[in-house]
Amino acid sequence: MYNIAYFCSLFATIMGISSAFSCTLSRCRRPVSTAYISNKKLCMSSTSTTSSSSGTNTISSDNNELYQERSDILRANSKLSLAPMMEYTDRHFRHLVRLVSDRTLLYTEMVAANAIAHEREAALPPSSSSSLLDGASAEELSFDPSYLLRFLGQGHNAEGASVLQLGGSDPDQLFLASKTVYEFNQLAQIHQQQSSSNNNNAPIFCDYTALNLNCGCPSPKVAGKGCFGAALMQDATLVQQLTSSMYHGSQGSIPITVKCRIGTDEGYQFTRDQYNARSDEEEYQSLKQFIETVASEGIVTDFQVHARIAVLGKNYSPADNRKVPPLRYYQVRRLAEEFPELNISLNGGVETLSGVKRELDECQELDGIMVGRGWMSNPWAFAMSDELLYTDGQQLADSTRPKNRIEVLQAYGQHADYEEERWDPVKIRRFITKAASQLFSGEPNAKRYRIALDEIAGLPKKLMKEDPKLMEVNLHYQNLYWMQRQNI
C-alpha cells in the first residue's frame, strides 16, 4: 500500500523537486494491509436518502424533493463534464478529476445493465425475491455488496456531481439496474450510524446525481452484437421506454439523461463523399424527431450530443468513429437554440479548457461541453476550469481542493491507501496508478515518472508470484530499496 502513496516522493526525486513534503506521507510506508480479505461486507454511506418503499412505482413526495435537489445539482455543474470512457473513467480516475475540479460533472464508464441484473440476482438473500433491502439491519447486510459495488461503487468519498451511465436495450434489466442504485441509497440510510461509528468499515458511496442511457457508443460489440449504444438511435420509441423504466426503477428520485449522436448511417452506405452530399436538413430533422420522441414524456430533459454520426454499417472501430465522420457542431447548436426548455451539451472534438470556453461563448444556448480525451491525456490542464467557467466566487473561495500537483498526489495517495486496504492490491493497483499516469503530461522527466509508476504498479503481482506468504515482508523491503535507489 505504501508504494502507491510513495510515488509522490518518487516523483519529487525524479523531477528534481524538494522532497520535504514526503514526510507527510510517512504513514503510508507500511506493509500492505490484508483487511480486504476479511472486510467483505462493506457498509455504505450517502448524502441523500429517500423514504419510499422498495418494489413500488409510486413516487413519494420525499423522492420528488430528492429528484429536484439532484436536478438542481445537475444544472449547476453542467458547463464542463467528463465524458464516459470505457476502461478510463473508473472511480480512481474520477477521484483524480475531482481533486482537480470541484465542479466538473463526472461520468462513469458505461456499465452494462445485464451485468448489474445478473449480480443483483446472485446477491439477493434466499428469503427475498425482489429487494436488496430485505433483512438489512444496522448491524450487517444480508448479502455481500462487493460484487455489485465493482460496477456501482464511488470510492471512499462522495463524488459530488456525478452520473452513472448505463448500457442496454432491455427495459426490465434497466429497471433492475436503476432499482439497485436506488436501494443502495436506501441501505446508506440504514447503515449511516454504523458507518460513522466504525472506522474500520469506512463507507462506500453510491450516490449519483443522475442516470444516463448510452445511445452513442458505436463499438461493434455494443451497437452491433449488443444492439444498444448508438444502435438505439434507430428506435426512439424504444429509448423512450428504456428511460421510463430507469425513472421508475429509481422510484423517481434520480434524473434520467441520454447521451447520443447526431445520427447514424442507417439507410445508406457511408463514405465521406456520400455523407457530404446528403442533406443537412434531413439529418437535423431526424435528430430533432429523436429528441422530441425521447423527451415527450417529460422524463428526459438533458441530452449530451456527440456532434458526429455513428457509422454502424461498416466495421469501424470506436477510434474510427471519433475521426472519420466529420464534426457538425452547428447541428447541436441549432438543437440547443430550438429547444431552450431542454439542457443540451456538446460532445466531440473539444479537448482543451480554452476550447470549452470558446464553444460556450459562441453558443450561449448550450448548457455544457463534454470532454473526454483532453481530461485523459492531461488532467492538470483543466485545473482552472472552476474559476474560468463559473462566477459564483464565494463557493470557489470556499474550495479546499489541492492547489498544485504535489498536493493532488498527496490526496490521491490517501485514496490509494483506502482502496488497497479493502481490495486485493494484486488486482487493483494497476488501475489505481493508471489514473495518475498523465498528471504531469508535457513536463520534463514525465516519462521517467510514468516508467517508475508502472514498475510500482506491477510489484504486488510480481511478489505474489514469488511467494504469497512473504508478499507483505517483500513489499516492506522493496520500499527500502526504492528509498535507497532514489537517495531519499
Side-chain angles (χ1 to χ4, degrees), residues 296-318:
S296 60
E297 287 189 341
I299 290 176
V300 180
T301 59
D302 290 65
F303 293 85
Q304 300 74 44
V305 187
H306 190 141
R308 288 186 175 95
I309 69 163
V311 179
L312 306 179
K314 293 185 176 181
N315 191 25
Y316 273 15
S317 68

Side-chain angles (χ1 to χ4, degrees), residues 218-249:
S219 168
K221 293 182 180 180
V222 173
K225 182 179 180 181
C227 295
F228 60 99
L232 291 175
M233 290 204 68
Q234 298 171 175
D235 192 345
T237 302
L238 175 59
V239 174
Q240 181 192 57
Q241 296 172 358
L242 298 177
T243 54
S244 178
S245 292
M246 293 167 65
Y247 176 78
H248 291 294

Side-chain angles (χ1 to χ4, degrees), residues 374-393:
W375 268 110
M376 181 187 71
S377 62
N378 191 359
W380 189 248
F382 294 86
M384 293 298 294
S385 58
D386 294 358
E387 287 78 6
L388 183 64
L389 301 178
Y390 295 95
T391 58
D392 45 349

Side-chain angles (χ1 to χ4, degrees), residues 18 60 81 114 221 420 428 472:
S18 171
S60 71
S81 55
N114 62 348
K221 293 182 180 180
E420 289 203 355
I428 201 172
E472 292 188 22

